[in-house]
Amino acid sequence: MSDIVVLGIFNADTAYHADRMPRLGETVLGSGFVLGPGGKGSNQAVAAAKAGGDVTIVTRLGADAFADLGRATWAEAGVKSAVTVDAESHTGAAFIFLQNGTGENAIIVSPGAAGRIDVAEIDSRAALIGGAKVFITQLEQPIPAAHRALQIARAGGARTILNPAPAAALDDAMLALCDYITPNESEAEGLTGLPVTTLAEAEAAADALMARGVGAVVMTLGAKGALYRDRTRSVHVPAVTAGPVVDTTGAGDAFNGGFAVALTEGRDVVEAVRFGCATAGISVTRPGAATASPRRAEIEALLARG
Ligand code: RIB
């Protein structure tokens, strides 16, 4: 049993640094390459554990070298795991283009084994998922698996977080199982069909999500921080800056991991959003995804600096 249970995928991130993406049929020379641990679910689990959470990840891996990277990453961060090994597929892998100068990225994910997680597998983890204080998932594994896990978590009394990434069409029954949904601006646009370029538009998109059954919306706004909005409160939490931006990969995951930890500790939700912003604020100053997330003491020191 763990306070925080994450359903999600692990990827080996293959990150290529270059000035720009190649066009179809074109080759461009890059300026660097890094292989490291990624996958939104795994990144969130690692970020939460490093921030002081008691965390278990539920996932599927292949029987290959990338799986070893996943296990080593979790061991170092203190993440427990409930893993199905699927030798008929591969461990998740991600191509990441990292733009020189801006740290912005573009990603292709191939979930492999984790793309085969089904409802029966989720049911076999019901005791773990139903026993969590906070349950969090994303959309890199199949949506029916995420939906079923949210049902189990809600029935068990967990607070449920859906990080709707990558963006996908979701039905209202699934949204109604989410105490918190944590889209970024483009995911909020994808879910609602509304533009999200200003704070007022972010608030309108949050209202549209709540009208579909979500409990509260925590929208990450990149350099502008995050919007927390429920039916009685609407708070813009500014970004917590820790230094120059080096790599934004996994910043949203760091946010979600930090947010989940603060919620399990019983903090007010806006304080939890601020804790998430600080976690993400440090992660973007470092290269990589899971490797960039900060330890608890670093987050507290940044928040103490105001
Ligand atoms: O959110 C960042 C993550 O998205 C990367 O680590 C990559 O693996 C993809 O899952």
Side-chain angles (χ1 to χ4, degrees):
M1 292 294 177
S2 280
D3 287 347
I4 300 172
V5 173
V6 181
L7 168 65
I9 87 169
F10 170 81
N11 288 329
D13 282 357
T14 59
Y16 299 81
H17 299 241
D19 290 335
R20 64 173 178 82
M21 284 277 277
R23 289 184 291 274
L24 281 180
E26 182 191 28
T27 301
V28 299
L29 282 179
S31 56
F33 170 81
V34 181
L35 169 66
K40 295 183 194 303
S42 178
N43 293 342
Q44 291 171 19
V46 168
K50 287 166 76 175
D54 168 28
V55 188
T56 296
I57 184 166
V58 175
T59 193
R60 242 192 226 215
L61 298 172
D64 49 29
F66 284 173
D68 297 340
L69 176 62
R71 290 195 182 87
T73 301
W74 299 332
E76 193 188 341
V79 174
K80 292 172 266 184
S81 59
V83 173
T84 301
V85 176
D86 182 347
E88 290 176 17
S89 188
H90 61 84
T91 298
F95 158 85
I96 300 184
F97 160 68
L98 263 179
Q99 189 174 46
N100 289 332
T102 66
E104 296 293 328
N105 63 64
I107 301 177
I108 301 172
V109 171
S110 183
R116 288 149 55 96
I117 298 174
D118 58 16
V119 168
E121 185 168 340
I122 297 302
D123 284 340
S124 76
R125 307 290 188 194
L128 179 65
I129 294 168
K133 282 188 190 162
V134 169
F135 171 76
I136 180 164
T137 192
Q138 324 72 31
L139 301 175
E140 289 187 319
Q141 73 291 312
I143 290 174
H147 190 153
R148 180 68 184 133
L150 285 164
Q151 284 175 330
I152 293 169
R154 171 61 68 82
R159 283 206 269 179
T160 55
I161 304 171
L162 174 63
N163 175 226
L170 299 175
D171 60 31
D172 291 0
M174 182 162 166
L175 292 174
L177 294 168
C178 303
D179 292 315
Y180 304 102
I181 192 164
T182 60
N184 63 20
E185 293 144 297
S186 70
E187 290 151 1
E189 286 182 345
L191 279 169
T192 64
L194 298 171
V196 182
T197 57
T198 64
L199 194 56
E201 288 176 348
E203 289 166 348
D207 288 346
L209 288 168
M210 285 190 283
R212 294 183 59 194
V214 165
V217 178
V218 182
M219 197 181 302
T220 53
L221 306 172
K224 297 190 290 294
L227 169 70
Y228 173 76
R229 192 165 172 92
D230 63 21
R231 286 168 179 77
T232 60
R233 264 203 299 183
S234 189
V235 182
H236 175 218
V237 177
V240 183
T241 306
V245 174
V246 168
D247 181 353
T248 59
T249 312
D253 301 329
F255 175 90
N256 278 277
F259 176 63
V261 169
L263 279 186
T264 60
E265 293 174 353
R267 297 185 191 220
D268 173 76
V269 65
V270 173
E271 276 312 302
V273 171
R274 194 165 285 118
F275 193 89
C277 284
T279 310
I282 298 171
S283 81
V284 299
T285 66
R286 300 169 178 169
T291 45
S293 57
R295 295 273 171 192
R296 173 72 174 226
E298 299 173 284
I299 302 167
E300 285 182 345
L302 180 61
L303 285 169
R305 287 212 311 261

